Amino acid sequence: MSEPISPLAPTRIAELPEIAGVTRRIARAQYKQWDRCDLTYIELTEGTSVAGVLTQSKCPSTEVEWCRKALPGGKARALVVNAGNANAFTGARGMEAVQRILALTSDYLDCGEEEIFVSSTGVIGEPLPKDRAEAGLVAAFKAEACSWQQAAATIMTTDTFPKMATASAVIGGKIVHLNGIIKGSGMIAPDMATMLGYVFTDATVDAGLLQDMLSAATAKSFNCITVDSDTSTSDTVLAFATGQNDAPSLQSFDDPGADAFQAALSDLCMQLAHLVVRDGEGASKFIEIAVTGAQSDESAKRIALSVANSPLVKTAIAGEDANWGRVVMAVGKAGEPADRDKLSIGFGGVTVARDGLVVPDYDEAPVAEHLRGEEIDISVDIGIGGGKATVWTCDLTHGYISINADYRS
């Protein structure tokens, strides 16, 4: 685990219930020279349905390409996650390792390779060593079952704390549970989902419906966070429904309980997305940017991301400087419809600029006090329409430079 732990980390680690049909095991494949487990093997009961959202990067990892090929099958028996090596931009050698993992796991479970899902995260450009992958996987098959926290810690790279969350819903009078684990700290500007994230539920959900639900949840959570404006080659979110609960099955949005399950899934994804931002590399501030009054929701989101990704805005927040002019700059460069003379900006609920001008008798003291905290709110009203969006980011400190300058060592 990286040290020190992010100052934005939760003070308490979530306690996750068991999910029937999910067994977790970890092992040491030693993909890097570190003293920790770095291979996670999660076995899923037969009949588990699966859905996923994957990076839109034009240079994806071999694992992403495999998941994209396997997802239409709609069924899953296992997930294998490697940490320390992204296995991206590795050509045929990278595919050889994935093929070996698929073959070993499908033979072990006596199932088709298309029911095995694989992810890797870490350094780009170095082929995943297939001998280590094989030895680690064999060790995982024999390992004792581990906790959710151990599984969450094993998929980490530059993360400073394990990230996990839980939610529940009532379907037909029965409580179904949803658990999630995720890793992510840098290279965070998802263009589909995020880093590596995995959701597990004991509910029975048709694969097609689960896909629609996960995509909807992603749009309002993972696709609304950014740490450094960079989209990973490996971004993957997968959802698995084991069907081991007695609750009625969900086949369509019209089924009783479907709305409750969607709400729980959306809540879980939001919890996980926020945990990633709270562990942004070098972060000391958690920032929410709410844009209203834009021409459309899509326009509002692009403006919000322009503010969230601005190094000048992020460093101003790190320095606790209420430099609202940098927000004006970021709105203007977004390329979206805006009117300077209708624009309003606020920090922590205090309007600092309105109608293109600083507010008369503006008192910076309460804003300065707000910026000294760890949770920062920035509001932007474009003043031309009804579009709105909210995104989340973190500040930019020297810690980010230090982490990434030494990343491969």
Side-chain angles (χ1 to χ4, degrees):
M1 182 182 296
S2 303
E3 294 293 345
I5 294 175
S6 169
L8 304 176
T11 55
R12 295 180 60 186
I13 295 178
E15 294 184 8
L16 274 58
E18 283 300 319
I19 299 291
V22 179
T23 304
R24 306 162 301 280
R25 297 187 175 92
I26 56 177
R28 294 171 182 254
Q30 294 297 284
Y31 291 121
K32 290 182 69 175
Q33 296 302 309
W34 49 20
D35 184 23
R36 50 161 283 192
C37 289
D38 52 6
L39 186 148
T40 304
Y41 168 70
I42 299 181
E43 191 170 314
L44 305 159
T45 192
E46 192 169 354
T48 295
S49 58
V50 61
V53 278
L54 305 162
T55 184
Q56 296 301 305
S57 169
K58 300 303 181 183
C59 299
S61 69
T62 300
E63 285 80 350
V64 166
E65 291 179 323
W66 171 256
C67 288
R68 188 171 287 129
K69 179 180 178 180
L71 276 169
K75 297 296 180 183
R77 287 299 316 281
L79 168 69
V80 180
V81 186
N82 308 295
N85 183 314
N87 199 34
F89 213 71
T90 54
R93 290 177 61 193
M95 189 61 209
E96 287 175 4
V98 171
Q99 289 174 332
R100 188 60 186 143
I101 290 171
L102 296 174
L104 279 172
T105 309
S106 60
D107 285 348
Y108 178 71
L109 295 174
D110 190 23
C111 68
E113 291 186 354
E114 68 280 358
E115 294 181 84
I116 311 301
F117 290 81
V118 182
S119 298
S120 293
T121 178
V123 176
I124 294 171
E126 298 180 7
L128 192 73
K130 63 180 180 180
D131 55 339
R132 295 184 185 182
E134 180 174 343
L137 193 51
V138 171
F141 291 156
K142 302 175 183 177
E144 295 291 327
C146 72
S147 68
W148 286 105
Q149 184 174 346
Q150 288 172 308
T154 300
I155 66 175
M156 290 166 36
T157 51
T158 61
D159 307 59
T160 70
F161 63 89
K163 303 171 182 65
M164 48 193 188
T166 188
S168 62
V170 176
I171 302 175
K174 301 284 187 178
I175 297 176
V176 299
H177 297 284
L178 301 88
N179 288 349
I181 61 174
I182 197 166
K183 65 83 51 183
S185 187
M187 202 179 288
I188 308 299
D191 186 17
M192 41 51 71
T194 188
M195 303 52 61
L196 301 183
Y198 309 102
V199 173
F200 306 88
T201 179
D202 54 6
T204 302
V205 188
D206 172 76
L209 177 62
L210 187 61
Q211 182 63 60
D212 290 341
M213 288 181 160
L214 182 63
S215 296
T218 291
K220 297 294 186 180
S221 58
F222 302 125
N223 269 350
C224 290
I225 64 172
T226 179
V227 167
D228 48 21
S229 80
D230 286 329
T231 295
S232 171
T233 60
S234 307
D235 288 342
T236 298
V237 168
L238 298 172
F240 304 95
T242 67
Q244 296 300 293
N245 192 292
D246 292 335
S249 65
L250 298 178
Q251 302 294 317
S252 77
F253 281 109
D254 294 328
D255 291 341
D259 288 347
F261 185 83
Q262 176 73 79
L265 178 61
S266 297
D267 173 58
L268 181 67
C269 291
M270 187 70 79
Q271 291 184 60
L272 295 172
H274 284 192
L275 287 174
V276 171
V277 175
R278 289 184 176 278
D279 202 16
E281 291 173 342
S284 67
K285 311 280 188 183
F286 178 86
I287 308 168
E288 178 177 289
I289 300 166
V291 174
T292 57
Q295 186 179 71
S296 65
D297 289 350
E298 294 76 13
S299 180
K301 182 177 179 180
R302 284 189 282 269
I303 292 170
L305 286 172
S306 179
V307 176
N309 285 324
S310 167
L312 288 177
V313 173
K314 291 158 75 73
T315 51
I317 299 302
E320 301 176 353
D321 177 14
N323 192 337
W324 55 271
R326 293 184 177 183
V327 178
V328 174
M329 172 278 301
V331 172
K333 75 169 186 175
E336 293 298 314
D339 185 333
R340 178 198 62 199
D341 297 332
K342 295 181 179 179
L343 183 64
S344 297
I345 295 169
F347 290 91
V350 178
T351 301
V352 300
R354 182 185 297 117
D355 299 331
L357 295 170
V358 65
V359 172
D361 301 321
Y362 161 54
D363 180 5
E364 192 168 307
V367 174
E369 179 63 26
H370 177 68
L371 292 179
R372 282 193 284 271
E374 292 183 345
E375 301 199 3
I376 310 301
D377 296 324
I378 300 176
S379 59
V380 178
D381 189 81
I382 307 302
I384 64 171
K388 60 182 179 179
T390 303
V391 304
W392 296 270
T393 189
C394 57
D395 56 342
L396 180 60
T397 71
H398 194 277
Y400 180 87
I401 298 171
S402 299
I403 291 168
N404 284 283
D406 298 333
Y407 182 64
R408 293 200 301 165
S409 60

